[in-house]
Amino acid sequence: MDWQNHLDRIARDVRPKLGRGQVATYIDALARIPNDRFGMAVRTIDGAEFTVGDGEVPFSIQSISKLFTLTMAMNFIGDRLWKRVGREPSGNPFNSLVQLEREEGIPRNPLINAGAHVVTDCLAAHCRNPQRDIIRFIRHIAGNQLIDYDGEVAASERATGYRNFALANFLKSFGNLENDVDKVLDLYFHQCAISMSCLDLCRAASFLANNGVDPVSGERIVPKARARRINSLMLTCGLYDAVGNFAFRVGLPAKSGVGGGIIAVWPGHLTVCVWSPGLDKSGNSLAGTRALELFARRTGATIF
Ligand code: GLN
């Protein structure tokens, strides 16, 4: 397959969509990013890598971080996690409060904000220095020691994080946070504020395309069954209340973030990541979703 040619064509074809959609204005530091940026990368399980446009430019990974903290928490506490968080799509926006109250503090899944707070709480309880351990894990699986937190984005998110404070306080009131709200949210705002490129994300998620083993280093990151479960969670919960539409259009497990990134996994074949900051009303990259739709259609990259 001529992956480079596919990426080049897709970058040309989505150009009319660039500049559309809204950047995440509720986080000041993200509101300043021009919404006509576009990058894409592919990494096959043979280790071949391809990029186009801004595919090697770091951006704010935001909710994509939930994938990595979930992986860490599953490795640390295994099935005990499922006592505190569910595995169903929420059908609601990623930062919705109503369901959490009605369902008595058990978030629907680990890939919406409330669920990610619980996951982050597990890491805070389990690691001596969770902030250091999260970045170490991500640097390790991405093979890039330069990946780091963007302090300005983290501070900006804290300054306007009213909904996250509300969600975490709900969780605490229902007894589903062990640590202080402030400690959990500080860690959460930092994990969201990690900067990575499409290529970094393709490398970091490669183990999910290869039964839990990094295809280049040969290192096992998670057991095979766990990789399958993480992919299932991405397929059913990775794009919030737009997850059904995304499965319909693309048909790959994926995780999005309001920075405009989407990482998708084609098990047994490759990882593909796209970045374009203009978002649709669910908070998913507009041009990015279109790019992945074209990618799946033209290359046959789908699990269905
Ligand atoms: N940091 C963002 C928030 O908590 C992450 C949300 C997202 O990327 N969907 O609101």
Side-chain angles (χ1 to χ4, degrees):
M1 183 83 70
D2 189 347
W3 299 109
Q4 189 62 53
N5 185 41
H6 278 295
L7 292 188
D8 293 343
R9 264 180 65 208
I10 290 167
R12 271 199 306 277
D13 294 344
V14 300
R15 215 170 281 152
K17 285 216 180 303
L18 303 184
R20 300 217 194 134
Q22 271 278 347
V23 295
T25 46
Y26 76 103
I27 303 172
D28 283 344
L30 295 185
R32 292 197 292 273
I33 313 261
N35 67 351
D36 59 353
R37 308 293 298 267
F38 179 84
M40 201 164 175
V42 165
R43 190 199 209 205
T44 69
I45 60 164
D46 304 327
E49 297 177 333
F50 308 87
T51 64
V52 69
D54 298 320
E56 294 188 57
V57 176
F59 61 89
S60 190
I61 67 168
Q62 293 295 314
S63 279
I64 297 175
S65 64
K66 292 169 182 164
L67 182 59
F68 303 123
T69 50
L70 172 66
T71 302
M72 290 176 78
M74 285 173 87
N75 277 350
F76 286 147
I77 68 167
D79 281 346
R80 275 182 293 149
L81 181 62
W82 309 119
K83 292 197 170 70
R84 297 178 56 188
V85 59
R87 300 188 294 259
E88 295 292 348
S90 69
N92 277 304
F94 60 85
N95 54 9
S96 168
L97 293 157
V98 281
Q99 202 167 45
L100 189 63
E101 160 111 87
R102 211 181 318 113
E103 298 183 359
E104 303 188 344
I106 304 294
R108 273 289 172 104
N109 68 68
L111 298 177
I112 52 173
N113 286 18
H117 295 166
V118 171
V119 168
T120 301
D121 182 53
C122 291
L123 299 186
H126 203 276
C127 308
R128 273 243 312 275
N129 186 341
Q131 194 168 314
R132 183 198 61 195
D133 292 351
I134 290 172
I135 203 74
R136 272 194 188 162
F137 177 69
I138 291 178
R139 284 175 181 160
H140 179 67
I141 58 175
N144 180 356
Q145 293 305 311
L146 299 177
I147 293 170
D148 218 338
Y149 298 107
D150 181 330
E152 193 200 339
V153 174
S156 168
E157 182 147 0
R158 164 173 284 277
T160 54
Y162 309 112
R163 282 184 164 268
N164 280 312
F165 278 101
L167 288 165
N169 276 294
F170 261 146
L171 288 168
K172 189 77 182 168
S173 79
F174 283 111
N176 202 4
L177 280 192
E178 270 180 55
N179 294 275
D180 288 345
V181 165
D182 255 349
K183 180 172 181 182
V184 174
L185 284 184
D186 190 55
L187 198 52
Y188 172 80
F189 292 140
H190 275 87
Q191 74 178 61
C192 290
I194 292 172
S195 296
M196 292 170 78
S197 69
C198 290
L199 186 59
D200 288 328
L201 285 163
C202 277
R203 290 175 179 164
S206 263
F207 72 93
L208 293 169
N210 193 40
N211 292 319
V213 174
D214 182 292
V216 174
S217 70
E219 185 191 353
R220 178 164 291 287
I221 309 297
V222 297
K224 182 174 174 178
R226 188 161 297 156
R228 202 172 58 215
R229 285 176 154 188
I230 296 171
N231 283 330
S232 309
L233 288 165
M234 283 202 284
L235 184 74
T236 52
C237 311
L239 278 92
Y240 321 119
D241 47 338
V243 75
N245 193 38
F246 187 85
F248 184 81
R249 289 173 63 188
V250 181
L252 290 172
K255 183 73 204 88
S256 63
V258 291
I262 309 176
I263 175 78
V265 179
W266 187 17
H269 298 267
L270 53 78
T271 49
V272 51
C273 184
V274 64
W275 172 52
S276 179
L279 307 177
D280 63 20
K281 64 178 185 348
S282 298
N284 300 314
S285 173
L286 201 97
T289 304
R290 177 65 181 153
L292 289 172
E293 183 177 26
L294 292 174
F295 182 82
R297 187 189 300 163
R298 292 174 182 171
T299 66
T302 173
I303 61 167
F304 297 108

